[in-house]
Amino acid sequence: MFSGKTENIAIIGCGGFIGSHLLEKLLTTTDYRIFGLDLTDLKIRHLLKYKALNFLHMDFTDLPKVKDVISRCDTVISLAAICNPSLYNRKPVDVINIDFTKSVDIIKLCSDLKCKLIQFSTCEVYGKTLTGLSKCNEAIEKVESYLLSEDNTNLIMGPICAQRWSYAAAKQLLERMIYAYGFEYDLDYTIIRPFNFIGPRMDFIPGVDGEGIPRVLACFMESLLFKKPLKLVDGGTNRRCFTYIDDAIDAIILILKNVIDTRQQIFNIGNPHNEITIKELALLMINLHHQLIPESNAVSIGTENVSSQDFYGTGYEDSDRRLPDISKIGKILGWKPKTDLETALRLIIKSYIKEYTGRF
Ligand code: UGA
């Protein structure tokens, strides 16, 4: 099952949130030789000293260079994407171009060069999910009815003017293209659908090391660090299942190593036990921050409601509920997540405080 030999792998987008954690684990616990591609090394400077890493400061759309790298590799892990909801309505052309058009070139190269492709997709491909539909179908009551499964669940998007779905649609078409290359050209691939991975180094803190609106965890951390009310979009009633990054990395490495069992498969990676509404998440983070630094008096910060129109602009719609079915990855690879939400948030809040204030 395990390939055993030292392999060359390319990680496209190794400098991002997931890439930086994956790189760290691979460099410290395996003997893969890694070509890491990214436009930035900000999150991986502590890893550049490793001999097994050949970091290439480059754009993944530079095809001649990417071709040269892929021709030397057994596996490509493709992480590069625009995956920030605030850009889905504001920069939809870039989102579709990077997340679909330019990513198709990587599929073609892997197919031509007979290289395994591990492609990161998204839980957003499930779109609006069954909870929305269940409002018109009282019969759907059992929790199993809400589980999103890789090979059975329908993918439900909003209308074209709701540009929120530009990302989900781009990723869905990318998955379909990969599947088609598998069908017609025998491409060896695995598709991963991450469910809200969270951890240290996630996104950026606006005004400090990035501009714009990051994903919810970093938004809430910014509020806690600068003592501003945590913003609840449309009341914060939607739910997410947050997955601690270390658990996610364990799953990714199992996929990387189990070449035969993961061939031409799609896997959810998520933690259904960590489901929470965004409002509950805000209150939990406030309380945990308060416990960690009582003198910050974080409980006095509070929350404020904001409309999605004001926060994200026209065209925003939301997934109401995303509950992953993880039985497939459990059965094939024996993976299940270990970290509960409170433990994960404690670790993350501490690491942000350390990173941005020097405390701890
Ligand atoms: C994300 C992104 O689309 C992708 O990065 C990714 O594929 C996937 O989901 C994931 O992280 O696995 P979403 O979960 O909507 O989408 O991203 P967040 O920005 O983290 O928002 C989560 C929820 O919090 C949404 O309901 C949003 O409206 C809300 N939110 C966000 C707030 O209430 N307040 C904020 O300050 C920010």
Side-chain angles (χ1 to χ4, degrees), residues 150-171:
E150 299 92 337
D151 303 314
N152 297 309
T153 300
N154 293 317
L155 312 176
I156 310 160
M157 309 273 155
I160 299 300
C161 59
Q163 296 204 88
R164 158 60 187 255
W165 306 110
S166 55
Y167 170 71
K171 286 288 196 181

Side-chain angles (χ1 to χ4, degrees), residues 298-313:
V299 284
S300 65
I301 296 173
T303 60
E304 81 181 14
N305 286 329
V306 51
S307 76
S308 52
Q309 168 87 23
D310 289 346
F311 196 73
Y312 288 116

Side-chain angles (χ1 to χ4, degrees), residues 83 85 88 122-124 164 167 194-197 214-216 219-220 231-233 238 240 278 311-312 316 318 322:
C83 56
Y88 305 163
T122 171
C123 58
E124 290 227 356
R164 158 60 187 255
Y167 170 71
F195 281 69
N196 290 79
F197 294 176
R215 283 170 291 185
V216 68
C219 285
F220 286 176
K231 292 187 173 159
L232 302 178
V233 174
N238 291 315
R240 294 291 186 271
I278 300 302
F311 196 73
Y312 288 116
Y316 183 78
D318 208 348
R322 296 173 182 159

Side-chain angles (χ1 to χ4, degrees), residues 182-345:
F183 178 75
E184 283 198 46
Y185 301 108
D186 202 32
L187 173 71
D188 187 0
Y189 68 84
T190 304
I191 292 169
I192 293 175
R193 293 182 181 160
F195 281 69
N196 290 79
F197 294 176
I198 51 169
R201 302 197 286 270
M202 190 166 177
D203 296 342
F204 55 89
I205 296 294
V208 180
D209 52 4
E211 294 303 332
I213 305 173
R215 283 170 291 185
V216 68
L217 186 108
C219 285
F220 286 176
M221 278 316 308
E222 185 214 358
S223 296
L224 290 168
L225 291 170
F226 295 107
K227 295 191 190 313
K228 299 191 287 194
L230 282 67
K231 292 187 173 159
L232 302 178
V233 174
D234 294 338
T237 56
N238 291 315
R239 300 163 190 230
R240 294 291 186 271
C241 291
F242 292 98
T243 312
Y244 190 53
I245 189 71
D246 287 4
D247 288 338
I249 297 298
D250 288 346
I252 297 163
I253 292 180
L254 279 172
I255 287 172
L256 179 64
K257 289 182 170 173
N258 286 273
V259 179
I260 296 167
D261 294 334
T262 61
R263 182 181 154 78
Q264 298 188 338
Q265 297 292 341
I266 303 175
F267 291 105
N268 289 336
I269 300 181
N271 190 336
H273 308 295
N274 283 349
E275 191 182 44
I276 191 168
T277 68
I278 300 302
K279 184 174 180 178
E280 289 163 346
L281 175 75
L283 299 177
L284 181 57
M285 288 180 70
I286 288 172
N287 279 326
L288 292 174
H289 190 282
H290 191 89
Q291 282 171 24
L292 282 167
I293 311 185
E295 66 273 24
S296 73
N297 198 23
V299 284
S300 65
I301 296 173
T303 60
E304 81 181 14
N305 286 329
V306 51
S307 76
S308 52
Q309 168 87 23
D310 289 346
F311 196 73
Y312 288 116
T314 315
Y316 183 78
E317 284 188 351
D318 208 348
S319 291
D320 42 14
R321 190 175 191 193
R322 296 173 182 159
L323 202 53
D325 180 346
I326 52 168
S327 56
K328 183 174 173 184
I329 191 165
K331 227 174 274 161
I332 296 181
L333 296 175
W335 177 83
K336 56 176 185 228
K338 300 187 200 104
T339 317
D340 65 82
L341 188 58
E342 222 177 286
T343 305
L345 289 173

